[in-house]
Amino acid sequence: MNFASDNAGPMHPSVLDAIVKANAGYEMPYGNDTIMPRVRDLIRTKFEAPEATVYLVATGTAANALALATYTNPWETIFAHRVAHVEEDECGSPEFYTNGAKLTLVEGAGAKMDPDALRQAIKGTGQKDVHSVQRGPVTITQATEVGTIYTLEEIARLTAIAKEYGLKTHLDGARFANACAALGCSAAEMTWKAGIDMVSFGGTKNGCAGVEAVIFFEPEKAWEFELRRKRGAHLFSKHRYLSAQMEAYLTGNLWLELGAKANANCARLVEGLETVAGAVIPDTPEANMVFAHLPRAAHRRAMDAGAQYYLFPSDAPLDGPDGELIRCRMVCDWSKSAAEIDQLTALLRG
């Protein structure tokens, strides 16, 4: 009953088999393996972007930080929602890899940037004054850190505002497949067709061992990214194992199928949580993650039986008034069974 994170889930068998297959014999290192050209072609096809440049790294933090650094000078600021992943969960990595650029935090309900708030944040920076921080790119977390999803229209509105000021836009897609499946849209529709310039396309949380693609729809930044990836210690020597994962993930519609399965598992979990007496779910989950406020007694029953998920705060005591609500996060991946989900919700109900 591990609902702590989709990072905790297993690899999909197809991905594991691809790694084993790639292990036979020798391959050239540093992305010059024979698999990587097929990966580029697959991504360019999925994204309907024949000129896109494609690179692989092993972690989502590296994908986000290196992509943003490629378009951000140290004297600039990156515009992100107050609870964007780059703000909440990357330990200052974007600031580090940009050599000191700021993050300007933008408000908005449901962890989604409000367009008017973004415009005001942009207008509040970039004065032609040597004492002022200058404007950098806008980054959008899709799906968000509370499990909500930007619609295509919402993305397009934010990118249009960015373009008014000559700014680039980045999509943090650690849960890209979950968002795409929920919206029923194509990868192209959720990215460059909506005005996005660069994408971190996640695989790790959705059935891979550890691989993320960085995609630029403007090829002129390709060489700079390659240098930043190497200098930042994220160019794998045995790159074939990254390539093999991504090829298996993209073959057919596996990436999308796994995202849809994770979303469906979460929907089942939410149905169960709604039957727990006293439960409160502030934001309607739209992908594979749910934040809920549940009675302390419910948490105690579940965790005493071995359930794993995160409480907020993490040191919230389980000995106290039974009815007091404690916030938690639960995440489903593609591999969750209906029986496991139902077991958890039954324990929570008591």
Side-chain angles (χ1 to χ4, degrees):
M1 288 186 294
N2 191 314
F3 291 82
S5 175
D6 35 14
N7 288 317
M11 278 186 281
H12 189 272
S14 296
V15 176
L16 182 57
D17 289 346
I19 294 174
V20 172
K21 183 179 178 182
N23 195 49
Y26 291 81
E27 284 279 2
M28 294 299 288
Y30 304 116
N32 296 308
D33 51 89
T34 57
I35 307 169
M36 188 58 194
R38 298 197 296 270
V39 171
R40 289 192 194 95
D41 288 343
L42 280 166
I43 286 181
R44 287 167 176 166
T45 298
K46 302 289 184 189
F47 282 81
E48 304 169 41
E51 301 301 318
T53 52
V54 178
Y55 302 99
L56 301 182
V57 294
T59 72
T61 296
N64 288 337
L66 291 170
L68 287 167
T70 304
Y71 274 108
T72 311
N73 290 307
W75 51 85
E76 293 175 343
T77 188
I78 298 164
F79 299 93
H81 192 277
R82 183 165 295 281
V83 296
H85 194 273
V86 295
E87 162 64 10
E88 292 274 294
D89 294 296
E90 294 189 346
C91 196
S93 183
E95 296 94 325
F96 176 80
Y97 278 97
T98 57
N99 199 26
K102 289 182 64 174
L103 293 184
T104 293
L105 303 182
V106 181
E107 302 294 344
K112 298 193 288 186
M113 276 191 285
D114 176 79
D116 292 334
L118 175 61
R119 186 184 295 280
Q120 289 304 311
I122 294 172
K123 289 171 69 175
T125 60
Q127 289 82 1
K128 294 188 182 300
D129 179 336
V130 73
H131 303 288
S132 301
V133 69
Q134 300 301 298
R135 297 162 180 160
V138 175
T139 181
I140 299 168
T141 307
Q142 177 79 324
T144 74
E145 288 296 279
V146 300
T148 55
I149 293 175
Y150 288 90
T151 66
L152 301 184
E153 293 75 17
E154 287 171 334
I155 295 172
R157 189 173 177 192
L158 294 173
T159 61
I161 292 169
K163 290 186 190 317
E164 281 182 38
Y165 294 90
L167 308 182
K168 300 298 183 182
T169 52
H170 165 255
L171 188 77
D172 172 0
R175 295 185 174 93
F176 189 101
N178 305 96
C180 237
L183 291 174
C185 68
S186 70
E189 288 170 333
M190 201 167 75
T191 55
W192 66 267
K193 288 186 177 181
I196 296 292
D197 298 298
M198 50 182 161
V199 181
S200 301
F201 175 71
T204 306
K205 297 179 187 295
N206 195 38
C208 294
V211 64
E212 316 281 315
V214 179
I215 305 162
F216 292 100
F217 299 113
E218 298 178 328
E220 69 270 11
K221 284 293 186 178
W223 176 236
E224 180 178 339
F225 182 86
E226 290 196 47
L227 295 173
R228 287 183 178 277
R229 180 176 59 163
K230 175 60 178 178
R231 185 174 182 270
H234 284 285
L235 175 59
F236 266 44
S237 54
K238 294 193 175 181
H239 189 282
R240 59 172 148 169
Y241 300 111
L242 299 183
S243 302
Q245 291 178 68
M246 188 56 75
E247 182 180 36
Y249 186 56
L250 292 166
T251 298
N253 276 319
L254 181 63
W255 64 283
L256 203 52
E257 291 167 6
L258 297 184
K261 182 66 166 60
N263 291 354
N265 288 339
C266 187
R268 185 183 186 98
L269 174 61
V270 171
E271 287 181 3
L273 293 177
E274 288 173 340
T275 68
V276 177
V280 177
I281 303 175
D283 293 300
T284 302
E286 297 174 315
N288 67 319
M289 177 167 50
V290 55
F291 284 82
H293 299 262
L294 302 174
R296 177 180 276 110
H299 291 302
R300 189 164 55 242
R301 284 192 298 270
M303 292 189 168
D304 284 350
Q308 294 174 288
Y309 52 86
Y310 290 120
L311 299 179
F312 296 92
S314 59
D315 60 351
L318 292 181
D319 54 340
D322 284 355
E324 183 178 349
L325 297 181
I326 300 175
R327 186 171 181 251
C328 68
R329 186 191 84 163
M330 298 178 183
V331 186
C332 292
D333 77 329
W334 64 274
S335 69
K336 282 278 173 281
S337 67
E340 186 178 4
I341 295 167
D342 294 347
Q343 181 186 8
L344 173 64
T345 54
L347 284 166
L348 292 167
R349 282 195 302 271

